[in-house]
Amino acid sequence: MNDLIDTRRFEEIKAAGELPSPKGIALSIARMSQRGDASLAELARLVQGDPALVGRLVRAANGSLASGARPVVALRDALAVLGMAAVRNLALGFSLISSSGEGLCRSFPYARFWTGSVIRAIAMQKILMRLRTAGVEESFSVGLLAGIGALGLASVFPAQYSRVLDEARGDPVALLDLERQAFAMSHVELSAAMLADWGMPRFFVAAVLRHEGALTLPAEDGSREYGLTLALGLARAIETACMADDAGRSEAVDAAKALAARMEWVPEQVSALCEDVAADWKDWSAMLPVDAYALPNLSMSAEPETLAPPQPPAAFPSAANDAPAGDGLRVLVVDDDAATRLTLQTLLVRGGYRVATAEDGVRGMECALEFQPHIMVVDWVMPQMNGLELARTLRQTRMGRSIYIIVLTSHEEDARLVEAFESGVDDYMVKPLRPRVLEARLRAAQRLVRMQRELETEREEIRRYAAELGVSNRRLQEVSMTDALTGFPNRRYAMERIAQEWAIAQRSNRSLSCMLIDVDHFRQINETYGRDVADQVLEQTARAIRACMRTQDVVCRTGGDEFLIICPDTDLQQALACAQRVGAGVAAVPVQAGRLRLKSSISVGVAERLPAMPDADALLTLADQALLAAKKAGRNCVRTAG
């Protein structure tokens, strides 16, 4: 993926802090999928430990079936339909929804982010089903995770990203620019890097990288990557329309229409797609911890209806009310005795804690992963999974290592208490409960939690400094590779880039061409009018060259009045046509230097990579020969060698 993503910057961001990652069973599934010999039977046994995940996978499998196919009802059938890779990515996405419902980034809309991601995932799956294209099994997960880079920036750099979001004020173009300035990587690029790191197929990664600008992409020849980019762009447009207010929805609907037209869809197909997304959303919103938005009518034949305001998130299962103080610590009580749960819940709520309860160890584990408590009070003796087994299981997860766990016991024998502490318990209380003792135990837990928060604050400062250092280093690197006069990459960058493009073209058997350009009579201009005028000639000629180039071409100033243009995926005839356009564009714009008005022209040598060429230097040599031929032919023309 090195040719798509700046992997070096991605590794720097990974090292700066904790990017969103799978937890619990999702982590086990990810590890299992890395083994070459893992079977669906093993996968089924692992997934069965999470009933909620079973239901979500069965729902996803049915969404990928062709119309009229027999519905999937059994887990084994769902796994067979989806395959190991799709199950891994879906489990990853569902795990992230449960574990990343809130965070430290003040301006990041966590709940809204996941609601939109699920809507985009449903739309992506429906679109690929209609296109009958490859990758239907993973379409839901790629739609769900296409924007994960934004959550990544919010997780690693919460304070900085909050300032970036505030400054962008909802403008997507401004947001990308501000992200690159602050982190040397946009959320789109980070999304693609994270998906590549998680093993998502290359064609999906390429679609994620380009889908936010799908409307501005030049038409391509029906490649898979181009089709998937349009599909993901359409899914995002539908998501935006569903989540936007009245003022912004019309623009998103127009974008959806335009993208659908590029895919040769008629408006009726888009209307049917929106109706299907709305129908599926009702089922998915009931299965996932996301806000239950009521989707608007996005029919292409009718005016959009008003979007119903978001409903408050459903209460956490068995949870009590939020604490009177908004920043109260979260406490999870796990006990199979209803009277004990009620007593603890009453005492804790009075103390200003936010409380959730669970009736056994298995449910306690599920609640812990979703509620993410600071403190847990667990009974030792419970059915299915006792308190010590729950503590040992939690300590194996990253989230569980930071929870302060108090176990309730009826005994104080030394051997039993040693067993409890060795299982990962932090403290214990002997039944029957004594409120003053409980209050004292909780004060000790509060001190530890505060220390952890202070440590996390210090870590965040270190991450921020590391991020600023990374950005500074990146900017210094960019300066070292940029020509100050024209703003084009310089010779050093040009030589590295053409070697890279050469390797890609050779490995994938793609076309590669280049152009060498000289400004005609530049030495005479310099000697006659002086350096200041000569610099203005170079600067304005560079602007004219840039205006005539395609988006995929790379323009560099390699020295003096010489420019190099690298043209990936371009054969000789296409490069010649481009060179003629550049020459005409330069000649059409006179150079204005003070009161002087000078005519400018260029000579261009064009060459294409040939199978017999040993390296990129041979391609440059051939282009140089072509440039000499252009000069001998009287300048202001385009030539090839031979």
Side-chain angles (χ1 to χ4, degrees), residues 296-377:
N297 178 12
L298 299 181
S299 171
M300 301 297 130
S301 59
E303 290 297 321
E305 295 176 0
T306 302
L307 179 64
Q311 301 300 316
F316 188 86
S318 303
N321 62 303
D322 284 347
D327 59 348
L329 298 181
R330 295 185 296 275
V331 181
L332 174 60
V333 176
V334 186
D335 198 308
D336 60 330
D337 181 65
T340 302
R341 288 200 307 274
L342 180 60
T343 299
L344 283 168
Q345 178 178 312
T346 302
L347 291 171
L348 290 166
V349 169
R350 286 176 183 170
Y353 297 94
R354 298 171 58 192
V355 186
T357 63
E359 63 275 8
D360 58 56
V362 173
R363 182 62 184 142
M365 184 68 188
E366 295 175 1
C367 288
L369 293 175
E370 295 185 36
F371 188 57
Q372 296 196 12
H374 300 103
I375 303 169
M376 288 180 64
V377 181

Side-chain angles (χ1 to χ4, degrees), residues 38 41 49 72 110 120 132 162 220 264 326 369 381 383 502-503 529 604 616:
V72 170
Y110 291 91
R120 183 176 60 236
R132 302 180 183 274
S162 184
E220 297 180 12
E264 299 181 354
L369 293 175
V381 180
W502 176 275
Y529 301 106
V604 187

Side-chain angles (χ1 to χ4, degrees), residues 11-267:
E11 293 301 328
E12 290 172 354
I13 290 179
K14 280 180 66 176
E18 293 185 352
L19 286 171
S21 61
K23 296 174 175 63
I25 289 178
L27 181 60
S28 301
I29 293 172
R31 289 171 177 166
M32 175 183 284
S33 68
Q34 294 172 355
R35 290 169 34 204
D37 58 347
S39 66
L40 286 180
E42 290 179 275
L43 182 60
R45 284 195 295 271
L46 186 58
V47 172
Q48 284 170 347
D50 187 343
L53 179 59
V54 172
R56 293 163 185 171
L57 292 177
V58 169
R59 184 75 188 84
N62 280 312
S64 66
L65 294 176
S67 178
R70 183 172 62 87
V72 170
V73 293
L75 174 61
R76 289 284 187 95
D77 293 339
L79 300 182
V81 168
L82 294 169
M84 182 75 75
V87 170
R88 177 199 63 216
N89 291 323
L90 283 168
L92 166 66
F94 297 145
S95 170
L96 292 177
I97 292 178
S98 297
S99 63
S100 304
E102 58 182 21
L104 301 175
C105 185
R106 173 181 50 79
S107 298
F108 187 77
Y110 291 91
R112 189 180 183 88
F113 170 81
W114 282 121
T115 299
S117 296
V118 175
I119 294 171
R120 183 176 60 236
I122 298 168
M124 184 63 174
Q125 188 177 55
K126 296 293 181 185
I127 292 166
L128 291 199
M129 283 297 298
R130 281 168 168 76
L131 294 176
R132 302 180 183 274
T133 188
V136 173
E137 298 82 2
E138 292 196 287
S139 57
F140 188 93
S141 53
V142 76
L144 185 68
L145 300 172
I148 194 66
L151 180 65
L153 292 175
S155 300
V156 179
F157 313 113
Q160 282 178 282
Y161 198 48
S162 184
R163 290 193 292 270
V164 166
L165 292 171
D166 290 343
E167 189 173 349
R169 296 180 180 178
D171 184 340
V173 176
L175 177 61
L176 293 175
D177 290 340
L178 290 168
E179 286 171 343
R180 292 191 180 101
Q181 292 173 23
F183 312 111
M185 196 174 215
S186 70
H187 73 271
V188 177
E189 293 159 345
L190 183 55
S191 294
M194 291 174 71
L195 293 187
D197 193 48
W198 291 334
M200 192 71 78
R202 176 193 169 90
F203 48 82
F204 274 137
V205 174
V208 169
L209 198 59
R210 301 196 296 167
H211 80 284
E212 288 199 9
L215 268 177
T216 63
L217 289 177
E220 297 180 12
D221 54 355
S223 68
R224 173 194 278 184
E225 290 181 5
Y226 179 66
L228 290 173
T229 302
L230 293 181
L232 191 54
L234 175 56
R236 181 174 180 270
I238 291 173
E239 170 212 347
T240 304
C242 290
M243 303 295 292
D245 55 20
D246 292 341
R249 190 174 309 123
S250 176
E251 183 178 347
V253 170
D254 288 343
K257 291 179 182 179
L259 285 164
R262 282 199 174 196
M263 299 160 64
E264 299 181 354
W265 283 18
V266 296

Side-chain angles (χ1 to χ4, degrees), residues 421-485:
F421 287 119
E422 289 180 344
S423 298
V425 169
D426 295 294
D427 201 353
Y428 72 96
M429 279 190 60
V430 178
K431 293 181 176 180
L433 295 175
R434 289 172 289 174
R436 292 185 63 188
V437 175
L438 173 63
E439 183 182 351
R441 304 285 197 196
L442 290 172
R443 278 201 298 269
Q446 285 179 3
R447 285 194 294 271
L448 184 60
V449 170
R450 289 195 190 100
M451 289 173 59
Q452 290 174 339
R453 284 180 165 180
E454 291 171 2
L455 181 60
E456 184 57 38
T457 300
E458 292 175 1
R459 286 177 178 167
E460 172 57 30
E461 286 295 312
I462 294 172
R463 290 173 192 159
R464 183 173 63 82
Y465 291 137
E468 291 173 355
L469 181 61
V471 172
S472 297
N473 289 338
R474 177 64 174 267
R475 287 172 179 163
L476 287 172
Q477 182 185 24
E478 290 176 353
V479 167
S480 71
M481 292 206 166
T482 302
D483 173 57
L485 178 65

Side-chain angles (χ1 to χ4, degrees), residues 362-620:
V362 173
R363 182 62 184 142
M365 184 68 188
E366 295 175 1
C367 288
L369 293 175
E370 295 185 36
F371 188 57
Q372 296 196 12
H374 300 103
I375 303 169
M376 288 180 64
V377 181
V378 303
D379 191 23
W380 187 318
V381 180
M382 291 185 293
Q384 299 188 61
M385 177 188 287
N386 67 38
L388 300 195
E389 292 170 339
L390 175 57
R392 282 194 292 267
T393 304
L394 281 169
R395 295 310 191 201
Q396 294 173 9
T397 68
R398 184 171 58 190
M399 178 274 296
R401 288 195 290 271
S402 63
I403 299 175
Y404 192 93
I405 301 177
I406 302 173
V407 69
L408 303 179
T409 178
S410 301
H411 305 281
E412 287 188 275
E413 293 90 346
D414 289 349
R416 289 176 66 84
L417 294 180
V418 168
E419 180 187 0
F421 287 119
E422 289 180 344
S423 298
V425 169
D426 295 294
D427 201 353
Y428 72 96
M429 279 190 60
V430 178
K431 293 181 176 180
L433 295 175
R434 289 172 289 174
R436 292 185 63 188
V437 175
L438 173 63
E439 183 182 351
R441 304 285 197 196
L442 290 172
R443 278 201 298 269
Q446 285 179 3
R447 285 194 294 271
L448 184 60
V449 170
R450 289 195 190 100
M451 289 173 59
Q452 290 174 339
R453 284 180 165 180
E454 291 171 2
L455 181 60
E456 184 57 38
T457 300
E458 292 175 1
R459 286 177 178 167
E460 172 57 30
E461 286 295 312
I462 294 172
R463 290 173 192 159
R464 183 173 63 82
Y465 291 137
E468 291 173 355
L469 181 61
V471 172
S472 297
N473 289 338
R474 177 64 174 267
R475 287 172 179 163
L476 287 172
Q477 182 185 24
E478 290 176 353
V479 167
S480 71
M481 292 206 166
T482 302
D483 173 57
L485 178 65
T486 63
F488 286 165
N490 60 19
R491 181 178 182 81
R492 177 183 170 192
Y493 177 89
M495 296 304 102
E496 290 183 8
R497 183 61 182 267
I498 197 167
Q500 182 186 47
E501 294 295 344
W502 176 275
I504 295 170
Q506 191 173 44
R507 184 170 62 249
S508 56
N509 196 28
R510 295 180 179 177
S511 301
L512 174 65
S513 297
C514 73
M515 308 176 207
L516 279 177
I517 297 175
D518 264 6
V519 179
D520 293 336
H521 309 297
F522 182 73
R523 179 179 295 179
Q524 182 179 343
I525 293 171
N526 196 10
E527 292 173 350
T528 303
Y529 301 106
R531 181 176 175 179
D532 289 345
V533 172
D535 283 350
Q536 291 183 57
V537 169
L538 278 177
E539 189 177 359
Q540 294 179 48
T541 301
R543 282 204 298 268
I545 292 173
R546 182 190 284 113
C548 298
M549 297 313 302
R550 303 170 303 174
T551 55
Q552 70 264 37
D553 296 330
V554 181
V555 188
C556 308
R557 183 188 176 193
T558 52
D561 62 327
E562 185 176 275
F563 298 86
L564 168 65
I565 301 178
I566 305 168
C567 306
D569 295 315
T570 305
D571 60 27
L572 185 61
Q573 294 305 314
Q574 292 170 325
L576 281 170
C578 184
Q580 295 286 0
R581 185 173 65 251
V582 172
V586 171
V589 182
V591 174
Q592 194 73 37
R595 295 183 179 182
L596 291 173
R597 187 178 176 86
L598 305 174
K599 289 186 177 181
S600 181
S601 64
I602 57 174
S603 300
V604 187
V606 183
E608 179 186 16
R609 182 183 76 90
L610 302 175
M613 288 181 176
D615 52 32
D617 287 341
L619 176 61
L620 291 173

